[in-house]
Amino acid sequence: MSDALKVADLSVHYATREGALQALRDVSITVPEGQIVGVVGESGCGKSTLINALLQLLPENATIPAGRITLQGEDVTRANARRLRQMRGQEISVVFQDPMTALNPVLSIGRQMRDIQYRQPGRRAEKDRRSAEMLARVGIPDPVGKLAAYPHELSGGMRQRVAIAMAALMRPRVLIADEPTTALDATLEVQIIELLKDLQKEIGCAILFISHHLGVIAELCDRVVVMYAGVAVEEGPVADVFLRPGHPYTIKLIECDPGRLKEKVADLPAIPGSLPDLTDPPPGCIFQGRCDRATEICATPPPRRVQHPGHWAACHHAKPEGT
Amino acid sequence: MSAFRHSLLGRLLADPMALFAMVIIAALVIMALLADVIAPHDPGAMNLADRFAPPSATYWMGTDNLGRDTFSRLLQGGRIALYVALTAVTISGLIGLVLGMLAGFGPRWLDNALLFFFDALRAYPTIILALALAALMPRGLSTVIIVVVITSFAEYGRVVRTQTLSLKNSEFILAERAMGASFGRIVFHHILPNVLGPFFILAAMNLPVVITIEAGMSFLGIGVPPGTPSWGATLKDGFDYIRNTPWILLSGGLPLILATLGFTFLGEALRDQLDPRLRKTR
Amino acid sequence: MTAPLLTLRDVVVEFPAVRGLKALTTAPEKRNVRALDGVSLDVASGETLAIVGESGSGKTTLARAINGLVPLAGGTVHFDGMALHEGPDWHAVRRRMAMMFQDPVGSLSPRKTVRDLILEPFAIHGIALKNRRGKALDLLADAGLGPDFLHRYPHQLSGGQARRVGVARALALTPALVLADEPTAGLDVSVQGEILNLMNRIKSGHGLTTLIITHNLNILRHIADRIAVMYLGRIVEVGPVERLLTAPAHPYTRALMAANPEPDPTARRERIVLKGETPALNARPPGCEFHPRCPVARADCAARVPQLEPSETGGRVACHYPLSRESLHA
Ligand SMILES: Nc1ncnc2c1ncn2[C@@H]1O[C@H](COP(=O)(O)OP(=O)(O)OP(=O)(O)O)[C@@H](O)[C@H]1O
Ligand SMILES: Nc1ncnc2c1ncn2[C@@H]1O[C@H](COP(=O)(O)OP(=O)(O)O)[C@@H](O)[C@H]1O
Ligand code: SF4
Ligand code: SF4
Ligand SMILES: [Mg+2]
Ligand SMILES: [Mg+2]
């Protein structure tokens, strides 16, 4: 099985007044053909930066000091502007975190959905029919009528679903979704998860799914990568990582999920402390400032400890399964 | 010191493209202002003995058919060009800004009416309108300015309207309203700064266009009165006497090219610096 | 019980459904759709009411109607002794009523720095500050952000950081009521916990009343006193939080609660799969609007409109055949 998307030792820096902000450090992620890989992590840990790097859409002040990104064997960082546009349209499509920025506020939904089908054959009516069909699949009531609506006339969840429908219309090889269900209620969330699964079967695309809703990741993904402050700290099959987390950060993250608390509590669990200053990250383990297991050795870079076949955690004190 | 580095001017000075543009523009402006002092000759003085002289130590850019010094005439012409361009762009820009915001904010019927008005004006060929107006009005700089204003404010109006419209429904404007912000505050603190970026670009790109229009109108003989030293008049002479000497045409085109480069670059740099998303560093 | 801080009666909000010339050829009653169709609510002082419901069911519209951002087509709203349906002084009202928007980054003015954004409420209400920088730092610190954020622009913030700026700003003038539209959307569980704890802390400190719109059912138990469930612009069930979570009376509430994805990958849950799609606002079903999708609908549900009435499980429900505690476990 080949890899649809492969990120190897990727680092991304943003130039700021305080110096280089290291938003990503040596991140490696592989999305095999036909699989769904999830990425979880605290906000600000670099998930959106990762996506923008994949698409080569980083803002002006960003640089990529190291790393390779290959899309179906092709190095994205070396592609020229024309090839990139081609890739973005045909091979890779994205559902952005903020649906309002992905939609043009002065064009109707129908017009925007028609425009993205410019490569597909068919007349205008045919394209509109396809658009309406896709809107119906993401659960938008009155899909034909909604083609005439403008983005601000839709609710937040509807906008998010329109963005998903648009990405799906392009039938990409790799679909990237940046927290696509945050504005949806539970019933719709489930519906979208089912839709993504169907889509994945139907067109055989690989999906990179970014979310911090642990429940959604657990339901949808085959594998999961846990990120913290720009570093991938743990990776493995979903069930393995959630049931037997190896990295102290993953353990804390799972403990924080209010879905586990069946009794009312006054204070919701949180991880004390805050993200390290990414312009001046500590040497060694990135999590040491908030980790209750930290010892002296943690000031040196932690190795990737295999927990299970295909499941590792980057921590000095993570114990392999059964020891 | 650090405050200056992060001010708009400080950031512009740090941008090589902007610096280059500002040097050119400053040079043009200073030369125009000090034309009388710098000019080696009286721009009107004829010296029939030295007609069509090539560039030399006395006549830096040569002379024209009446033996007038081209360099001195271009210096004087710079005054007219910059005066016309800056006045016309400021007036048409302001009209466009106000009408565009009105269209964007106003009720639907007003928007439609203004849009129709803008489109009708823009559909009318500039040169025909210019000729028609020139026929009705006395020859002179004010005519040139009025023609330029009438033919160009619609373009500003359209850009500003589209920009305003897309901002009006955005969530941050709703958020401002929800906090109790007044209409004026929303317009001046939140809409205007977001409209000004594309607006400045347009204005900066239009400045050289206006200079060319002035030159063109003078060329056609409907701009400044004959004998007045303007860039357009010099260019026209250049064409008329291209068989006698290429120097008038070559020197006459130079300031136009410089002005175009300077203002276009400055416009782009301004846009980049005004939009925090386009800045190279924060 | 103290007098309610906020009272809504039969609130109706309409949006135009057709535009331009087409409107002239459309029957007057079809020109508009009702996004809110007769919403009545009481929110007591110091209480936290959560609004849940399908996407597009009118939750955001409800918050905006209370805040005067969308006009009312009918009904009355009273807040803190002011009649908001009678064209009040919104400037004064909005000082006492803050709003947090669904889109954390999009609701921040893109060319302002965090410092300006956070001090915006003071500027709007003409409140002079002795030490502007100090105040901004205090507010940021309350929201868990360090001084390095003062000079950032919204596009340089991650979703969670932008949300914290939003919280800091909403609470800056210590309002009486906060309308929070999905305050945890886009936040990871740890930050979400901190934001909610922050809101809880301020709430108990100032007796803040909050109306929270949320899709995150996992947090309801910990933050809300009562829940109101919306469907197609109406409230179909309202009641104390524990009751609704453990013994929902309305079939829709029950389906909603059962759909919640769980982080435990081994958990096998029985979902109640709702038939069909959410109806469009311009094609509301007759009788009970939920009947085409309701798993327990009976023949007369399509004929009679159910009203909000006290339910057996506590609270109020709009259903002819509400679920009882027993039927839940059957
Ligand atoms: N300005 C508008 N013009 C026309 N229709 C609108 C407008 N604003 C909202 N609507 C419609 O009103 C209904 C309710 O929208 P609202 O934003 O209140 O939903 P919501 O419950 O907040 O949903 P979500 O959870 O997805 O944010 C939707 O059908 C929406 O399309
Ligand atoms: N354009 C930018 N300039 C400077 N810093 C940025 C920029 N964009 C993001 N950042 C910073 O980079 C880090 C990662 O951000 P982001 O990728 O958006 O996180 P996530 O998507 O995981 O929430 C954060 O600390 C954020 O503040
Ligand atoms: S390496 Fe040390 S500090 Fe880092 S997670 Fe492991 S125990 Fe904690
Ligand atoms: S009234 Fe009937 S259709 Fe409506 S929710 Fe109750 S049982 Fe279902
Ligand atoms: Mg993000
Ligand atoms: Mg909403």
Side-chain angles (χ1 to χ4, degrees):
Chain A
M1 192 161 50
S2 65
D3 296 330
L5 179 71
K6 198 170 158 81
V7 176
D9 302 316
L10 180 72
S11 297
V12 174
H13 294 181
Y14 291 113
T16 71
R17 267 202 232 177
E18 285 78 30
L21 186 151
Q22 310 183 8
L24 289 183
R25 293 199 295 160
D26 300 325
V27 172
S28 301
I29 290 175
T30 305
V31 189
E33 208 75 68
Q35 281 211 15
I36 308 184
V37 173
V39 176
V40 275
E42 194 157 350
S43 75
C45 78
K47 303 181 295 286
S48 302
T49 303
L50 174 69
I51 294 188
N52 291 335
L54 293 181
L55 295 165
Q56 297 286 298
L57 285 178
L58 287 168
E60 293 265 347
N61 64 339
T63 52
I64 303 187
R68 274 163 61 88
I69 303 168
T70 40
L71 181 70
Q72 299 190 302
E74 187 178 346
D75 191 342
V76 178
T77 48
R78 299 242 177 87
N80 62 23
R82 186 147 156 264
R83 176 75 190 111
L84 274 175
R85 270 202 304 281
Q86 212 172 15
M87 280 188 204
R88 285 187 205 129
Q90 289 172 342
E91 281 136 60
I92 190 161
S93 69
V94 203
V95 183
F96 281 104
Q97 180 170 14
D98 175 357
M100 204 53 187
T101 55
L103 299 173
N104 186 332
V106 290
L107 297 182
S108 70
I109 300 296
R111 166 81 195 277
Q112 297 187 50
M113 295 191 76
R114 196 156 63 231
D115 286 354
I116 59 153
Q117 298 178 60
Y118 70 99
R119 283 208 193 80
Q120 267 109 310
R123 304 165 150 276
R124 190 181 151 144
E126 163 72 12
K127 290 182 178 172
D128 281 348
R129 194 188 52 73
R130 274 203 290 260
S131 309
E133 211 169 80
M134 196 49 89
L135 286 183
R137 282 188 71 178
V138 294
I140 297 226
D142 184 23
V144 178
K146 282 290 181 298
L147 290 179
Y150 287 85
H152 75 272
E153 296 170 339
L154 302 183
S155 77
M158 289 175 182
R159 279 178 220 153
Q160 210 162 37
R161 282 177 281 161
V162 169
I164 294 171
M166 287 178 49
L169 263 184
M170 312 219 270
R171 305 178 71 86
R173 303 298 310 145
V174 177
L175 179 76
I176 299 182
D178 192 0
E179 313 196 15
T181 61
T182 45
L184 303 181
D185 62 279
T187 53
L188 268 170
E189 202 159 41
V190 170
Q191 193 181 335
I192 294 291
I193 293 175
E194 295 302 329
L195 172 81
L196 287 175
K197 280 185 175 164
D198 285 352
L199 205 75
Q200 197 250 325
K201 285 204 198 83
E202 199 179 304
I203 61 181
C205 62
I207 300 181
L208 182 67
F209 189 92
I210 313 248
S211 175
H212 32 232
H213 193 320
L214 302 177
V216 174
I217 296 264
E219 293 229 351
L220 181 69
C221 300
D222 303 306
R223 295 178 65 76
V224 59
V225 178
V226 182
M227 287 196 25
Y228 178 76
V231 179
V233 294
E234 180 159 10
E235 182 187 347
V238 165
D240 229 32
V241 172
F242 283 0
L243 292 179
R244 290 179 289 276
H247 197 281
Y249 173 65
T250 316
I251 297 172
K252 284 246 152 91
L253 199 63
I254 293 172
E255 278 170 4
C256 281
D257 189 356
R260 296 159 43 96
L261 307 168
K262 299 299 177 203
E263 292 299 317
K264 177 172 171 134
V265 295
D267 257 344
L268 285 166
I271 305 177
S274 56
L275 281 176
D277 180 0
L278 292 180
T279 55
D280 182 23
C285 177
I286 190 80
F287 190 54
Q288 55 189 288
R290 300 167 85 179
C291 181
D292 40 25
R293 287 204 219 155
T295 56
E296 265 166 37
I297 191 174
C298 301
T300 60
R304 287 188 175 177
R305 289 248 148 87
V306 173
Q307 303 290 292
H308 239 211
H311 174 189
W312 55 260
C315 169
H316 287 291
H317 300 296
K319 292 187 189 62
E321 193 70 13
T323 60
Chain B
M1 181 57 212
S2 138
F4 174 73
R5 260 201 302 135
H6 296 295
S7 70
L8 183 60
L9 187 62
R11 288 199 311 261
L12 280 176
L13 287 175
D15 179 348
M17 197 171 83
L19 192 64
F20 174 64
M22 286 193 293
V23 168
I24 294 182
I25 295 171
L28 286 174
V29 169
I30 291 173
M31 287 204 279
L33 287 180
L34 300 181
D36 295 337
V37 185
I38 308 176
H41 301 272
D42 175 352
M46 295 181 243
N47 187 348
L48 293 176
D50 280 335
R51 295 173 62 200
F52 302 125
S56 66
T58 357
Y59 303 114
W60 295 355
M61 289 183 172
T63 60
D64 63 5
N65 57 321
L66 298 175
R68 294 174 299 196
D69 179 35
T70 307
F71 181 62
S72 305
R73 289 183 69 75
L74 286 176
L75 283 179
Q76 201 74 38
R79 256 187 202 187
I80 298 181
L82 291 178
Y83 165 73
V84 170
L86 289 175
T87 322
V89 166
T90 310
I91 297 178
S92 57
L94 282 178
I95 297 179
L97 197 61
V98 171
L99 290 184
M101 299 249 269
L102 265 180
F105 261 115
R108 212 176 186 100
W109 63 263
L110 184 64
D111 183 26
N112 286 336
L114 282 170
L115 212 54
F116 180 78
F117 180 49
F118 292 160
D119 285 344
L121 268 180
R122 283 184 347 143
Y124 221 88
T126 309
I127 205 69
I128 302 207
L129 200 63
L131 285 171
L133 284 169
L136 295 175
M137 284 186 286
R139 206 173 161 153
L141 285 186
S142 345
T143 308
V144 177
I145 291 174
I146 291 172
V147 166
V148 169
V149 167
I150 290 180
T151 53
S152 63
F153 77 84
E155 198 175 341
Y156 296 102
R158 262 216 95 113
V159 167
V160 170
R161 169 202 172 257
T162 312
Q163 207 48 22
T164 309
L165 214 56
S166 73
L167 290 167
K168 185 170 80 167
N169 291 318
S170 56
E171 207 149 275
F172 76 89
I173 294 298
L174 270 182
E176 291 300 323
R177 286 174 56 200
M179 283 188 285
S182 62
F183 182 72
R185 186 175 177 86
I186 289 177
V187 169
F188 291 109
H189 282 249
H190 299 284
I191 301 268
L192 204 57
N194 287 290
V195 168
L196 282 184
F199 176 80
F200 274 139
I201 273 267
L202 195 63
M205 306 245 221
N206 256 343
L207 274 167
V209 174
V210 173
I211 296 179
T212 330
I213 293 180
E214 180 271 319
M217 286 177 70
S218 302
F219 186 96
L220 289 174
I222 52 177
V224 293
T228 317
S230 98
W231 290 355
T234 307
L235 268 182
K236 179 176 157 56
D237 288 347
F239 275 110
D240 287 351
Y241 302 107
I242 184 86
R243 285 168 190 282
N244 305 72
T245 173
W247 293 112
I248 310 180
L249 189 64
L250 287 180
S251 338
L254 194 67
L256 218 53
I257 294 174
L258 284 179
T260 309
L261 281 181
F263 284 116
T264 313
F265 281 6
L266 182 68
E268 277 175 25
L270 256 181
R271 179 210 40 204
D272 290 0
Q273 292 304 333
L274 279 176
D275 189 339
R277 280 163 296 194
L278 294 175
R279 268 180 226 160
K280 291 265 189 305
T281 69
R282 67 193 167 98
Chain C
M1 175 124 173
T2 52
L5 179 72
L6 178 72
T7 311
L8 278 70
R9 287 289 171 269
D10 304 315
V11 167
V12 176
V13 168
E14 296 186 336
F15 290 115
V18 287
R19 71 188 81 246
L21 289 177
K22 228 173 139 192
L24 296 177
T25 57
T26 314
E29 68 275 11
K30 291 226 169 118
R31 276 181 210 160
N32 295 320
V33 294
R34 291 199 157 184
L36 291 185
D37 193 7
V39 172
S40 300
L41 263 184
D42 288 308
V43 186
S45 199
E47 170 183 55
T48 301
L49 176 73
I51 313 252
V52 299
E54 193 138 307
S55 155
S57 59
K59 306 178 297 294
T60 300
T61 306
L62 179 64
R64 291 187 182 174
I66 296 171
N67 197 283
L69 292 176
V70 295
L72 299 186
T76 62
V77 180
H78 287 94
F79 165 67
D80 205 13
M82 295 176 273
L84 303 191
H85 51 283
E86 288 171 351
D89 171 8
W90 282 112
H91 190 73
V93 172
R94 287 170 180 162
R95 183 172 171 171
R96 310 258 306 131
M97 180 196 288
M99 183 140 178
M100 284 160 58
F101 283 79
Q102 197 163 349
D103 180 349
V105 179
S107 54
L108 301 177
S109 196
R111 281 164 203 248
K112 303 276 172 203
T113 58
V114 165
R115 176 196 144 110
D116 291 341
L117 289 167
I118 228 165
L119 296 177
E120 180 80 3
F122 298 96
I124 288 175
H125 293 281
I127 300 167
L129 290 172
K130 269 194 231 90
N131 178 357
R132 290 170 50 83
R133 188 186 148 84
K135 184 76 193 177
L137 282 176
D138 284 352
L139 288 169
L140 273 184
D142 281 347
L145 294 176
D148 49 323
F149 283 90
L150 272 187
H151 299 291
R152 290 218 197 170
Y153 289 93
H155 74 280
Q156 294 169 331
L157 302 173
S158 74
Q161 293 161 346
R163 175 61 76 198
R164 290 172 194 240
V165 172
V167 174
R169 186 160 82 157
L171 302 175
L173 298 182
T174 50
L177 175 69
V178 172
L179 307 168
D181 197 352
E182 308 209 16
T184 63
L187 300 188
D188 60 281
V189 285
S190 166
V191 179
Q192 167 186 306
E194 284 171 35
I195 297 264
L196 294 174
N197 291 342
L198 168 72
M199 289 179 64
N200 267 340
R201 228 176 24 245
I202 297 173
K203 211 176 88 178
S204 39
H206 300 283
L208 186 70
T209 310
T210 27
L211 200 119
I212 290 189
I213 295 169
T214 184
H215 287 308
N216 188 341
L217 303 176
N218 291 333
I219 61 169
L220 286 178
R221 172 175 281 126
H222 310 293
I223 53 156
D225 302 313
R226 284 193 307 145
I227 303 181
V229 183
M230 290 188 69
Y231 188 78
L232 276 191
R234 291 203 181 146
I235 291 181
V236 294
E237 183 165 9
V238 50
V241 62
E242 260 333 300
R243 283 275 167 71
L244 259 78
L245 288 177
T246 54
H250 198 282
Y252 175 68
T253 314
R254 190 176 160 197
L256 191 68
M257 301 301 171
N260 196 21
E262 295 254 356
D264 181 353
T266 54
R268 280 271 121 251
R269 66 219 114 237
E270 296 99 68
R271 286 224 171 98
I272 303 162
V273 180
L274 292 178
K275 298 176 285 187
E277 319 265 296
T278 319
L281 292 177
N282 55 7
R284 290 172 179 272
C288 171
E289 291 175 339
F290 188 55
H291 85 260
R293 306 175 73 194
C294 180
V296 297
R298 300 189 200 173
D300 60 336
C301 291
R304 291 187 297 132
V305 180
Q307 303 297 328
L308 261 186
E309 270 152 26
S311 73
E312 193 186 314
T313 53
R316 292 151 68 76
V317 62
C319 172
H320 298 307
Y321 307 103
L323 307 167
S324 60
R325 223 174 254 283
E326 295 71 53
S327 72
L328 269 177
H329 305 288

